[in-house]
Amino acid sequence: MQSPLFGHTETQSRDRYAMQNPQLLRVSLTGHDDVLARKGAMVAYQGLIEFDGEYQTQGQRRARAQTGEGLDLMRCSGQGVVYFANLAQYVHVVDVDHEGLTVDSAYVLALDSGLHWETIAVDSQFGVSGSGKYNLNISGQGKVALMTSGQPLVLQVTPDKYVNADADAIVAWSSSLRVQMQAQTHSSGVWRRRGNTGEGWELSFLGQGYALVQPSELLPPQNAVLGQGAAAQFGMGQQGARGQNQGNVWTNNR
């Protein structure tokens, strides 16, 4: 049998994390260190690999119930090679070190089991209840595989150059950055989008580090029923861009 398909054979690499192609991650397991991956993200594997649901601590379960932010993971252990993907999104491997990484859980594909994560809140400048954004702060030493819809943009933040990003387009940023969530320049406009521009909530980053932005937003119909809080009403966070990864369905008012 002959076909150009045979040009897409397995990548040979000694690295624990390697890219089979821009949308497919290859992880090698040696029987010592497990990898945690998004539930259902395995597309193929070779060798003696076991897949188990990952236990969540009481604190993680409580944070998930209160904020909607968390990681639905499976633990992959054994010896062999596992391939991970999600909706053909682009995959990017990031080294997490002492600086730490803050990320929307919807964009996490896999991570080393030794890393630690906790839920943190990004508050609105207006102090409006429900208008904040919850993310995961990942710390420790190891690797995280992130996903983006399309090829991303990495913006450097310096003390003399801050960065603003749409809350539906931001994927992750350096945990050392100071972050402020904001909408209009005056509080009377916080409950509506910026006139007829279609722009709404954004995050402002200050300090020293990086911000990762994807070239995609998922904004709901303006009269959509999305749940609780201004964050949901404006398509941000759990009910916003997450829909691309988790298949949320927008329901219009009748």
Side-chain angles (χ1 to χ4, degrees):
M1 185 168 60
Q2 296 182 347
S3 170
L5 281 173
F6 291 101
H8 301 282
T9 55
E10 304 166 55
T11 296
Q12 300 301 318
S13 174
R14 295 183 179 180
D15 294 334
R16 176 172 166 83
Y17 288 71
M19 299 306 303
Q20 173 64 33
N21 61 52
Q23 296 155 301
L24 188 60
L25 175 68
R26 178 187 190 273
V27 178
S28 297
L29 296 176
T30 61
H32 300 291
D33 297 320
D34 299 343
V35 65
L36 302 178
R38 187 185 190 87
K39 285 185 178 179
M42 182 273 292
V43 297
Y45 72 92
Q46 295 176 316
L48 300 175
I49 309 294
E50 293 185 356
F51 302 90
D52 295 300
E54 174 62 4
Y55 171 78
Q56 292 186 342
T57 67
Q58 184 176 358
Q60 290 171 340
R61 292 195 300 270
R62 186 185 307 114
R64 182 64 176 269
Q66 294 175 346
T67 68
E69 188 73 12
L71 290 173
D72 289 323
L73 298 172
M74 59 181 178
R75 179 175 289 267
C76 310
S77 57
Q79 291 183 303
V81 175
V82 189
Y83 295 90
F84 298 110
N86 183 63
L87 299 177
Q89 291 185 296
Y90 286 85
V91 181
H92 317 276
V93 179
V94 179
D95 282 302
V96 178
D97 52 21
H98 63 278
E99 186 178 23
L101 179 72
T102 301
V103 61
D104 188 316
S105 63
Y107 302 113
V108 176
L109 179 63
L111 72 160
D112 284 332
S113 59
L115 291 172
H116 172 75
W117 69 89
E118 60 182 347
T119 303
I120 61 171
V122 178
D123 293 326
S124 164
Q125 72 181 93
F126 300 106
V128 178
S129 176
S131 64
K133 177 176 173 63
Y134 292 98
N135 289 84
L136 295 180
N137 187 39
I138 300 177
S139 58
Q141 192 81 29
K143 295 183 183 294
V144 178
L146 303 178
M147 304 175 294
T148 62
S149 296
Q151 294 284 14
L153 170 67
V154 176
L155 294 169
Q156 184 176 14
V157 183
T158 63
D160 59 349
K161 184 179 69 174
Y162 64 88
V163 168
N164 292 325
D166 190 290
D168 284 318
I170 189 72
V171 173
W173 62 85
S174 304
S175 296
S176 58
L177 292 175
R178 301 191 308 277
V179 186
Q180 177 69 65
M181 186 174 174
Q182 58 189 9
Q184 277 76 7
T185 56
H186 54 87
S187 60
S188 63
V190 70
W191 297 110
R192 61 180 175 82
R193 302 185 75 80
R194 293 185 175 178
N196 60 358
T197 67
E199 297 298 335
W201 295 99
E202 64 184 36
L203 299 183
S204 180
F205 300 94
L206 302 92
Q208 187 79 41
Y210 296 89
L212 175 66
V213 179
Q214 66 177 359
S216 175
E217 303 174 57
L218 182 61
L219 298 179
Q222 293 301 299
N223 62 343
V225 176
L226 303 175
Q228 303 298 318
Q233 293 179 28
F234 290 99
M236 186 279 301
Q238 181 182 2
Q239 301 297 339
R242 289 171 174 273
Q244 287 184 311
N245 296 339
Q246 299 179 344
N248 287 337
V249 177
W250 305 111
T251 304
N252 291 328
N253 287 327
R254 297 294 183 184

mmCIF file of all heavy atoms in Angstrom, residues 17-34:
data_model
loop_
_atom_site.group_PDB
_atom_site.id
_atom_site.type_symbol
_atom_site.label_atom_id
_atom_site.label_comp_id
_atom_site.label_asym_id
_atom_site.label_seq_id
_atom_site.Cartn_x
_atom_site.Cartn_y
_atom_site.Cartn_z
ATOM 1 N N TYR A 17 8.520 15.055 26.301
ATOM 2 C CA TYR A 17 7.474 15.724 25.532
ATOM 3 C C TYR A 17 8.037 16.060 24.156
ATOM 4 O O TYR A 17 9.074 16.712 24.058
ATOM 5 C CB TYR A 17 7.020 17.017 26.208
ATOM 6 C CG TYR A 17 6.193 16.832 27.464
ATOM 7 C CD1 TYR A 17 6.770 16.373 28.637
ATOM 8 C CD2 TYR A 17 4.842 17.140 27.475
ATOM 9 C CE1 TYR A 17 6.024 16.212 29.786
ATOM 10 C CE2 TYR A 17 4.077 16.992 28.622
ATOM 11 C CZ TYR A 17 4.675 16.522 29.772
ATOM 12 O OH TYR A 17 3.923 16.369 30.915
ATOM 13 N N ALA A 18 7.354 15.644 23.119
ATOM 14 C CA ALA A 18 7.784 15.954 21.755
ATOM 15 C C ALA A 18 6.541 16.185 20.906
ATOM 16 O O ALA A 18 5.466 15.635 21.176
ATOM 17 C CB ALA A 18 8.622 14.815 21.172
ATOM 18 N N MET A 19 6.690 17.003 19.877
ATOM 19 C CA MET A 19 5.569 17.292 18.990
ATOM 20 C C MET A 19 5.583 16.325 17.816
ATOM 21 O O MET A 19 6.529 16.297 17.030
ATOM 22 C CB MET A 19 5.640 18.742 18.500
ATOM 23 C CG MET A 19 5.575 19.782 19.609
ATOM 24 S SD MET A 19 4.133 19.577 20.687
ATOM 25 C CE MET A 19 2.815 19.658 19.474
ATOM 26 N N GLN A 20 4.527 15.523 17.711
ATOM 27 C CA GLN A 20 4.356 14.693 16.522
ATOM 28 C C GLN A 20 4.061 15.582 15.323
ATOM 29 O O GLN A 20 4.577 15.382 14.230
ATOM 30 C CB GLN A 20 3.212 13.694 16.744
ATOM 31 C CG GLN A 20 2.820 12.892 15.516
ATOM 32 C CD GLN A 20 3.934 11.983 15.029
ATOM 33 O OE1 GLN A 20 4.721 11.476 15.828
ATOM 34 N NE2 GLN A 20 4.013 11.773 13.722
ATOM 35 N N ASN A 21 3.221 16.562 15.543
ATOM 36 C CA ASN A 21 2.959 17.634 14.590
ATOM 37 C C ASN A 21 2.397 18.793 15.418
ATOM 38 O O ASN A 21 2.199 18.647 16.625
ATOM 39 C CB ASN A 21 2.022 17.190 13.449
ATOM 40 C CG ASN A 21 0.656 16.753 13.945
ATOM 41 O OD1 ASN A 21 -0.005 17.472 14.690
ATOM 42 N ND2 ASN A 21 0.232 15.563 13.538
ATOM 43 N N PRO A 22 2.135 19.951 14.824
ATOM 44 C CA PRO A 22 1.710 21.093 15.643
ATOM 45 C C PRO A 22 0.432 20.874 16.445
ATOM 46 O O PRO A 22 0.166 21.635 17.383
ATOM 47 C CB PRO A 22 1.512 22.207 14.594
ATOM 48 C CG PRO A 22 2.433 21.840 13.485
ATOM 49 C CD PRO A 22 2.378 20.346 13.408
ATOM 50 N N GLN A 23 -0.336 19.845 16.118
ATOM 51 C CA GLN A 23 -1.610 19.625 16.799
ATOM 52 C C GLN A 23 -1.674 18.291 17.541
ATOM 53 O O GLN A 23 -2.735 17.892 18.001
ATOM 54 C CB GLN A 23 -2.752 19.710 15.781
ATOM 55 C CG GLN A 23 -2.894 21.096 15.160
ATOM 56 C CD GLN A 23 -3.553 21.048 13.790
ATOM 57 O OE1 GLN A 23 -3.062 20.391 12.872
ATOM 58 N NE2 GLN A 23 -4.670 21.728 13.669
ATOM 59 N N LEU A 24 -0.532 17.631 17.670
ATOM 60 C CA LEU A 24 -0.503 16.307 18.285
ATOM 61 C C LEU A 24 0.737 16.179 19.165
ATOM 62 O O LEU A 24 1.863 16.341 18.687
ATOM 63 C CB LEU A 24 -0.500 15.231 17.202
ATOM 64 C CG LEU A 24 -0.655 13.774 17.636
ATOM 65 C CD1 LEU A 24 -1.966 13.554 18.379
ATOM 66 C CD2 LEU A 24 -0.603 12.859 16.398
ATOM 67 N N LEU A 25 0.534 15.893 20.449
ATOM 68 C CA LEU A 25 1.618 15.806 21.418
ATOM 69 C C LEU A 25 1.990 14.350 21.668
ATOM 70 O O LEU A 25 1.125 13.497 21.871
ATOM 71 C CB LEU A 25 1.189 16.459 22.736
ATOM 72 C CG LEU A 25 2.170 16.355 23.911
ATOM 73 C CD1 LEU A 25 3.429 17.170 23.636
ATOM 74 C CD2 LEU A 25 1.501 16.818 25.203
ATOM 75 N N ARG A 26 3.286 14.080 21.699
ATOM 76 C CA ARG A 26 3.820 12.753 21.990
ATOM 77 C C ARG A 26 4.518 12.788 23.345
ATOM 78 O O ARG A 26 5.408 13.612 23.575
ATOM 79 C CB ARG A 26 4.823 12.349 20.901
ATOM 80 C CG ARG A 26 5.509 11.000 21.102
ATOM 81 C CD ARG A 26 6.582 10.835 20.030
ATOM 82 N NE ARG A 26 7.128 9.490 19.983
ATOM 83 C CZ ARG A 26 8.151 9.059 20.720
ATOM 84 N NH1 ARG A 26 8.724 9.887 21.588
ATOM 85 N NH2 ARG A 26 8.592 7.829 20.597
ATOM 86 N N VAL A 27 4.107 11.923 24.272
ATOM 87 C CA VAL A 27 4.710 11.880 25.607
ATOM 88 C C VAL A 27 5.259 10.479 25.849
ATOM 89 O O VAL A 27 4.543 9.485 25.685
ATOM 90 C CB VAL A 27 3.693 12.243 26.704
ATOM 91 C CG1 VAL A 27 4.343 12.146 28.078
ATOM 92 C CG2 VAL A 27 3.133 13.645 26.472
ATOM 93 N N SER A 28 6.521 10.399 26.254
ATOM 94 C CA SER A 28 7.165 9.125 26.554
ATOM 95 C C SER A 28 7.103 8.868 28.051
ATOM 96 O O SER A 28 7.446 9.753 28.858
ATOM 97 C CB SER A 28 8.625 9.136 26.089
ATOM 98 O OG SER A 28 8.711 9.291 24.684
ATOM 99 N N LEU A 29 6.679 7.673 28.437
ATOM 100 C CA LEU A 29 6.621 7.270 29.835
ATOM 101 C C LEU A 29 7.616 6.139 30.068
ATOM 102 O O LEU A 29 7.677 5.191 29.283
ATOM 103 C CB LEU A 29 5.212 6.813 30.204
ATOM 104 C CG LEU A 29 4.111 7.875 30.117
ATOM 105 C CD1 LEU A 29 2.752 7.257 30.413
ATOM 106 C CD2 LEU A 29 4.385 9.022 31.071
ATOM 107 N N THR A 30 8.371 6.255 31.165
ATOM 108 C CA THR A 30 9.416 5.278 31.444
ATOM 109 C C THR A 30 9.104 4.419 32.663
ATOM 110 O O THR A 30 9.915 3.589 33.061
ATOM 111 C CB THR A 30 10.756 5.989 31.671
ATOM 112 O OG1 THR A 30 10.628 6.868 32.802
ATOM 113 C CG2 THR A 30 11.158 6.792 30.440
ATOM 114 N N GLY A 31 7.928 4.625 33.260
ATOM 115 C CA GLY A 31 7.568 3.859 34.435
ATOM 116 C C GLY A 31 7.894 4.547 35.735
ATOM 117 O O GLY A 31 7.582 4.030 36.817
ATOM 118 N N HIS A 32 8.513 5.718 35.685
ATOM 119 C CA HIS A 32 8.909 6.437 36.896
ATOM 120 C C HIS A 32 7.999 7.630 37.179
ATOM 121 O O HIS A 32 7.464 7.764 38.269
ATOM 122 C CB HIS A 32 10.365 6.894 36.793
ATOM 123 C CG HIS A 32 11.331 5.765 36.612
ATOM 124 N ND1 HIS A 32 11.594 4.840 37.612
ATOM 125 C CD2 HIS A 32 12.105 5.398 35.545
ATOM 126 C CE1 HIS A 32 12.480 3.954 37.177
ATOM 127 N NE2 HIS A 32 12.808 4.274 35.927
ATOM 128 N N ASP A 33 7.848 8.522 36.201
ATOM 129 C CA ASP A 33 7.064 9.742 36.394
ATOM 130 C C ASP A 33 5.798 9.683 35.549
ATOM 131 O O ASP A 33 5.853 9.529 34.326
ATOM 132 C CB ASP A 33 7.886 10.977 36.001
ATOM 133 C CG ASP A 33 9.113 11.136 36.883
ATOM 134 O OD1 ASP A 33 8.989 10.900 38.093
ATOM 135 O OD2 ASP A 33 10.178 11.497 36.347
ATOM 136 N N ASP A 34 4.645 9.808 36.208
ATOM 137 C CA ASP A 34 3.367 9.807 35.492
ATOM 138 C C ASP A 34 3.138 11.153 34.822
ATOM 139 O O ASP A 34 3.756 12.168 35.162
ATOM 140 C CB ASP A 34 2.214 9.531 36.458
ATOM 141 C CG ASP A 34 2.342 8.183 37.138
ATOM 142 O OD1 ASP A 34 3.122 7.337 36.639
ATOM 143 O OD2 ASP A 34 1.679 7.982 38.170
#
